[in-house]
Amino acid sequence: MKKLYCFDFDGTLTYKDTMFMYLKFYDSTKFRLQFLKHVPLFVLLKLKLAETEKVKKSFIGSILKGQTQEKIERKSKEFFEEHYPKIVRENALDFIQNIDRDHTQSLLVTASLDIWAKPFADAFKMQLVATKAEFKDGVFTGNFIGKNCNGKEKLVRIKAEITDNKYDKIIAFGDTSGDKVMLKWANEGHYQFFH
């Protein structure tokens, strides 16, 4: 029996949102300053008066734009080493460690950027399906390649990843409205399963 597992990352497998954690870890002074500057945008976001992707791009870009890929990847590795497995829910970790790898394909499907999610996906032995950071000449442009990997986009990316593979069962795990499309599409959709 061949299974496909699709795991959301932030909040589902972790206790916290890694975006804020990583950006603060990367440059805490810049983070505090830019966080304050972005508060009005975060408020508009809560009120559904701003686009998530635009606000996210603006906030991440305000801290990482112009930084080299080499430095960003180094800091991502340091971030992972400092926080893994502490920020991962224990029962989620147990579940992942007991996956039958011979008959299961596992995807880490996240709106987080690939740059800091990659070390976690590697540790979980999962393929990463994430929002992609754009680099030009080894420098982060502040833009994404394609769309923010959330909501309907999660399903678009999953389907592109699995192409013609056939599964007896597709099981998805999520914890927010951004996972609803993925959870509904799966044969089994588990909401806040590891909480």
Side-chain angles (χ1 to χ4, degrees):
M1 184 171 172
K2 195 171 182 198
K3 284 195 282 195
L4 173 70
Y5 280 133
C6 300
F7 296 92
D8 167 56
F9 182 45
D10 295 294
T12 298
L13 299 182
T14 65
Y15 291 107
K16 295 175 179 176
D17 185 300
T18 56
M19 181 183 85
F20 290 107
M21 286 181 75
Y22 175 74
L23 295 174
K24 192 176 182 182
F25 178 85
Y26 193 92
D27 187 333
S28 60
T29 308
K30 210 178 207 181
F31 174 85
R32 280 193 289 272
L33 180 69
Q34 291 302 333
F35 187 87
L36 289 172
K37 279 188 179 176
H38 280 79
V39 164
L41 284 174
F42 294 146
V43 171
L44 289 174
L45 205 55
K46 279 274 185 240
L47 298 170
K48 297 192 173 12
L49 297 171
E51 274 183 58
T52 306
E53 189 166 334
K54 282 184 179 170
V55 175
K56 183 175 176 176
K57 209 178 272 187
S58 171
F59 186 56
I60 291 171
S62 71
I63 296 165
L64 298 181
K65 188 179 177 180
Q67 297 291 305
T68 65
Q69 186 168 358
E70 185 267 328
K71 185 181 177 186
I72 286 173
E73 285 175 355
R74 188 180 76 243
K75 292 290 273 187
S76 298
K77 191 170 177 286
E78 288 169 11
F79 175 75
F80 168 79
E81 284 165 358
E82 184 161 319
H83 295 288
Y84 182 86
K86 290 188 300 237
I87 61 165
V88 182
R89 296 178 185 276
E90 281 177 42
N91 48 351
L93 208 51
D94 285 345
F95 187 93
I96 291 163
Q97 285 165 349
N98 287 300
I99 290 172
D100 174 4
R101 304 287 175 175
D102 296 328
H103 304 97
T104 310
Q105 183 181 0
S106 298
L107 305 178
L108 187 64
V109 189
T110 177
S112 270
L113 256 64
D114 50 1
I115 43 186
W116 69 80
K118 178 92 172 68
F120 289 91
D122 291 346
F124 296 146
K125 297 185 179 74
M126 293 181 195
Q127 285 159 265
L128 181 63
V129 178
T131 303
K132 294 178 181 172
E134 182 188 67
F135 290 93
K136 280 194 179 148
D137 302 320
V139 173
F140 180 48
T141 63
N143 287 321
F144 304 154
I145 297 170
K147 294 180 180 173
N148 184 36
C149 186
N150 200 23
K152 289 178 188 167
E153 184 64 18
K154 283 196 170 189
L155 195 50
V156 170
R157 297 283 187 89
I158 290 166
K159 286 179 175 176
E161 191 68 37
I162 62 175
T163 53
D164 299 327
N165 289 356
K166 294 277 182 280
Y167 302 96
D168 298 302
K169 193 181 262 189
I170 297 170
I171 303 161
F173 301 87
D175 78 316
T176 64
S177 58
D179 301 315
K180 278 183 180 168
V181 176
M182 175 176 81
L183 295 177
K184 199 174 173 191
W185 166 77
N187 301 121
E188 274 181 34
H190 296 284
Y191 185 74
Q192 297 186 348
F193 184 80
F194 302 112
H195 287 216

